[in-house]
Amino acid sequence: MIGNGNAVWLRSRRHLLGGLLASMLAIAGPGVTPAETVGQPSPRDAGFSPAGLAAISDYFRNEIATGKIPGAIVMIQRRGKVAYFETFGVRDPATKVAMTRDSIFRIYSMSKPITSVAAMMLVQEGKLALDEPVEKYIPAFKDGKVGVEKKGEDGQLGLELVPARRAMTIQDLLRHTSGLTYGFFGTGLVKKAYLDANLYAGDFDNAEFAERIARMPLVYQPGSTWDYSNSTDILGRVIEVISGKSLLQFEKERILDPLGMTSTSFYVADPARQALVAEPLPTDRTIGPGSVLNDPRIARKWESGGGGMVSTIDDYARFMQMMLNGGELDGRRYLSPKTVAYMGSNHIGPSAGVVPGPYYLPGPGFGFGLGFAVRTEAGISPVQGSVGEMNWGGAGGTAFWLDPKEEMFVIMMVQAPSQRTRLRAALKNMVYGAFDR
């Protein structure tokens, strides 16, 4: 399609400029009138090659045509302007309704940055400190034990429970060095114990879930190893204890409502909006052993700060722009720019004494900050990007990255668990390949 020259550019321009006007109206927020969106820069003015951006469109259309994903939405925003926005395919393979920008996605672990921002608001206010032990707020975590695999006399592996050398801290929760884990990916006896415990059974709230997790052995000594985990769920409970409110209440009051993120929540309880929920292909609903995509239309007590939220691309774009602006949007400050920079620093570098675990999701060339993977080197990763990038994604397929150097963020909304890693890498290389200057 790229080789079709001017015809392609005209088609691409119509798609992009149509999305540009609507996007600026939705994302600009209070105080921005329609007149102010007139004459916004084209993709080329934002520093992108039209042919390069057309390649992104071609790629996602081919993914749909070849039956790999049902649909997707992609947004690139640079220097406060939408450079690329396009919807692809269908929202739901069963209904074949077209994907629309108000489609609601399970964002899973893209919930973690929101919860992390909420926690750092409390840190800024002196109500929480990163070096405080988690047990101060959730006493059940006192005297935690680490499960060490050892062979018995019969030659079989078993778990020996040894005392934690130190208590897990709030910083450990934010950077995934708590010793907690997830049972639905990876191997090992502690992970198996998580699965066997059936931690997600029944209708429970954050308080009950914290009690359940606290009874489990840790997979590593706190502060020693990066291992992806339920840490952010426990952080959500800490926020509840400090604030005296449910996690959703706190986040709505302090983040979601002020930012205008009206479609972001933990469930889609309104029957009138349930048809907006995007669905994967029927053969692609598994996110790990014993774990399938949830149905957000069924409201439950649990408000999972680590993986339970739903959102739209416009809502999440508001959150991204606030972070890219250093904690401010539309004249309202949410975090200090120093706090945002601190969150985007590498908190697991060599001097921290933290080693990457065997399932180190940030990948080569990346460290981890407070709620985000952070790029520390430009040339080691197999995908392009800038040092200082902050990113994360969700098990359902959604992903984002912030590139402060280029004043840019990119969001991909898709429900395709089995394709998520491949799609993210391809999109990142195509976006940087589309730069014109």
Side-chain angles (χ1 to χ4, degrees):
M1 187 173 178
I2 297 174
N4 292 339
N6 291 336
V8 171
W9 162 230
L10 288 172
R11 286 196 298 272
S12 179
R13 181 178 172 85
R14 282 195 295 269
H15 280 297
L16 294 170
L17 292 184
L20 174 63
L21 178 59
S23 295
M24 290 308 300
L25 286 168
I27 293 174
V32 178
T33 66
E36 290 175 299
T37 68
V38 176
Q40 295 296 335
S42 68
R44 192 184 293 280
D45 291 334
F48 290 96
S49 155
L53 294 181
I56 297 174
S57 301
D58 289 346
Y59 177 85
F60 280 93
R61 292 189 187 108
N62 183 66
E63 291 291 299
I64 294 162
T66 53
K68 297 184 182 71
I69 63 173
I73 312 179
V74 178
M75 175 188 286
I76 305 171
Q77 186 152 308
R78 191 176 186 212
R79 298 169 187 155
K81 313 297 181 186
V82 177
Y84 179 92
F85 181 93
E86 190 147 1
T87 62
F88 304 94
V90 298
R91 177 193 300 149
D92 185 340
T95 65
K96 301 194 184 310
V97 172
M99 184 69 76
T100 55
R101 70 180 306 141
D102 60 349
S103 296
I104 299 172
F105 294 81
R106 305 162 182 85
I107 62 171
Y108 281 103
S109 288
M110 280 169 53
S111 310
K112 288 179 170 71
I114 297 175
T115 305
S116 300
V117 165
M120 293 306 292
M121 287 177 158
L122 294 174
V123 171
Q124 285 189 159
E125 294 164 4
K127 298 174 181 176
L128 180 65
L130 296 185
D131 59 355
E132 289 181 314
V134 175
E135 65 194 48
K136 175 180 176 180
Y137 301 100
I138 309 174
F141 281 98
K142 186 176 176 59
D143 300 324
K145 299 293 191 294
V146 181
V148 179
E149 294 186 3
K150 287 193 174 181
K151 280 188 179 180
E153 293 181 0
D154 59 359
Q156 298 297 311
L157 274 179
L159 275 181
E160 178 184 348
L161 298 182
V162 303
R165 290 193 289 266
R166 70 160 175 80
M168 73 172 70
T169 65
I170 301 302
Q171 184 183 32
D172 288 325
L173 295 180
L174 281 156
R175 66 182 185 177
H176 294 285
T177 59
S178 64
L180 301 172
T181 192
Y182 277 131
F184 56 77
F185 76 96
T187 59
L189 293 183
V190 173
K191 288 179 177 287
K192 183 177 184 301
Y194 269 60
L195 287 177
D196 293 344
N198 205 10
L199 294 169
Y200 307 111
D203 193 12
F204 52 88
D205 59 13
N206 279 334
E208 170 60 23
F209 187 70
E211 295 290 324
R212 293 182 183 188
I213 288 286
R215 292 194 289 267
M216 302 305 298
L218 303 178
V219 69
Y220 297 108
Q221 287 286 343
S224 70
T225 307
W226 191 97
D227 193 71
Y228 206 36
S229 70
N230 285 111
S231 289
T232 317
D233 292 313
I234 303 308
L235 185 67
R237 176 56 187 159
V238 171
I239 292 169
E240 290 184 337
V241 172
I242 294 172
S243 67
K245 301 173 181 178
S246 74
L247 182 60
L248 180 59
Q249 281 180 305
F250 183 83
E251 291 182 341
K252 278 180 65 63
E253 291 175 13
R254 300 295 301 275
I255 301 171
L256 304 179
D257 287 352
L259 279 173
M261 297 173 67
T262 57
S263 296
T264 303
S265 187
F266 289 99
Y267 301 99
V268 187
D270 182 359
R273 296 180 57 76
Q274 290 177 349
L276 295 173
V277 176
E279 295 293 347
L281 296 171
T283 56
D284 192 10
R285 300 190 68 89
T286 302
I287 61 175
S291 186
V292 298
L293 260 69
N294 69 309
D295 186 350
R297 303 169 187 85
I298 301 173
R300 303 174 68 88
K301 295 177 184 176
W302 192 29
E303 296 176 356
S304 168
M309 300 196 94
V310 296
S311 191
T312 62
I313 196 161
D314 284 332
D315 271 18
Y316 214 83
R318 299 277 297 170
F319 180 70
M320 290 285 93
Q321 189 64 58
M322 179 272 290
M323 292 298 290
L324 193 62
N325 290 351
E328 179 274 336
L329 189 67
D330 295 337
R332 178 167 181 153
R333 182 155 296 285
Y334 298 81
L335 291 175
S336 155
K338 295 294 186 181
T339 299
V340 173
Y342 183 65
M343 295 178 74
S345 302
N346 184 18
H347 285 245
I348 62 168
S351 60
V354 176
V355 299
Y359 311 104
Y360 185 62
L361 300 184
F366 286 85
F368 203 85
L370 302 180
F372 302 81
V374 294
R375 190 167 191 137
T376 56
E377 299 182 66
I380 294 180
S381 172
V383 294
Q384 297 184 57
S386 304
V387 171
E389 168 198 323
M390 302 162 68
N391 77 66
W392 208 240
T398 60
F400 73 85
W401 76 91
L402 297 167
D403 185 336
K405 180 181 178 182
E406 297 296 342
E407 302 175 75
M408 175 183 77
F409 68 80
V410 179
I411 305 174
M412 175 180 68
M413 291 295 206
V414 62
Q415 304 283 243
S418 67
Q419 307 299 315
R420 60 184 185 256
T421 302
R422 181 181 60 83
L423 290 174
R424 291 166 188 169
L427 177 60
K428 185 167 281 190
N429 284 330
M430 286 188 291
V431 168
Y432 286 103
F435 269 65
D436 209 20
R437 60 182 182 276

